[in-house]
Amino acid sequence: DIGCGAGGLLLRLQREGFRSLLGADPFIQADIDYGNGVRILKRGVEEVEGQYDFVMLHHSFEHMADPAAALGILARGLAQKATLLIRVPVADSHARRAYGVQWYQWDAPRHLYLHTRKSMALLAAGAGMEIASVVHDSSGQQFSSSELYIRRVPYVEHGKYRPGNSPDAFSQQEWEGFQKQAAELNRKGEGDSACFDLKVR
């Protein structure tokens, strides 16, 4: 798991029965060995050695300064018939078109690149890979946070607008509407976040 932080997802996978789990994140304080088969290395993607059956990046790829170089490195680290899973915000989405500069996934300056299906396909081809499938997995946050940006509410205050958290919060009906709309957009391939399943050609 590249960009895994302290490895919360890997720990959940270990409890589900997965073994030999490795994470890498250059921003943790030091290497972590949980003693249960889960290890986290304080390393960037370019420093990870070995070959792996499954490599995943959950909303870390958009933070990388050179995505083409990173994808080439990732491709070389895949074992035969392995899978690379990359989850990223996607700019060719309904929310980006609807909200423009108020779309919350711009997230400057943390998001260095925002991708589309086409940009991901071009990057994959440049690394000798191809996209096997795309699943949109956006949430209602594409609406709630974008609406709050329109109101000039900073991101650090968005939590209090969940139903029940403050008098100014979204109603439960509004909140459920955001989730329902996100699910419908995902079905249509229009959600603002997607999971790309890549294979070496």
Side-chain angles (χ1 to χ4, degrees):
D1 188 0
I2 305 294
C4 65
L9 175 57
L10 293 174
L11 290 170
R12 291 197 296 274
L13 289 172
Q14 189 274 336
R15 289 193 292 270
E16 293 292 330
F18 288 85
R19 296 292 179 263
S20 301
L21 299 169
L22 181 71
D25 194 310
F27 300 109
I28 59 174
Q29 289 188 343
D31 291 355
I32 303 169
D33 188 338
Y34 286 102
N36 59 0
V38 178
R39 293 184 303 126
I40 314 298
L41 305 177
K42 179 178 171 58
R43 295 182 188 172
V45 64
E46 70 283 355
E47 301 171 290
V48 178
E49 299 175 346
Q51 289 200 312
Y52 302 89
D53 297 318
F54 184 72
V55 177
M56 56 188 177
L57 294 83
H58 296 278
H59 291 280
S60 56
F61 192 61
E62 64 268 29
H63 299 269
M64 294 183 173
D66 190 339
L71 198 54
I73 292 166
L74 290 164
R76 292 191 291 275
L78 294 175
Q80 190 175 13
K81 297 183 179 179
T83 295
L84 173 63
L85 181 152
I86 299 179
R87 294 178 65 220
V88 288
V90 284
D92 52 343
S93 60
H94 168 82
R96 200 276 305 158
R97 293 191 300 273
Y99 288 105
V101 296
Q102 304 297 342
W103 178 46
Y104 95 104
Q105 291 278 26
W106 290 117
D107 200 14
R110 298 189 317 127
H111 287 178
L112 303 180
Y113 288 89
L114 287 172
H115 298 282
T116 63
R117 279 177 175 254
K118 183 175 181 179
S119 74
M120 289 297 293
L122 290 170
L123 285 167
M129 306 187 75
E130 61 187 4
I131 297 173
S133 66
V134 181
V135 176
H136 286 255
D137 62 351
S138 66
S139 72
Q141 189 176 8
Q142 63 194 300
F143 305 111
S144 60
S145 283
S146 298
E147 291 289 340
L148 291 173
Y149 277 151
I150 290 172
R151 301 182 199 176
R152 299 186 180 277
V153 176
Y155 187 77
V156 293
E157 296 181 14
H158 286 198
K160 72 180 184 181
Y161 289 86
R162 288 176 176 267
N165 283 4
S166 78
D168 297 324
F170 293 111
S171 69
Q172 189 62 43
Q173 184 177 9
E174 287 174 312
W175 197 257
E176 291 172 0
F178 294 151
Q179 310 310 319
K180 183 177 179 180
Q181 190 175 357
E184 181 60 27
L185 288 172
N186 288 337
R187 282 192 290 273
K188 293 178 178 179
E190 279 281 352
D192 78 338
S193 176
C195 181
F196 292 83
D197 177 357
L198 287 79
K199 306 277 189 185
V200 175
R201 286 194 300 229

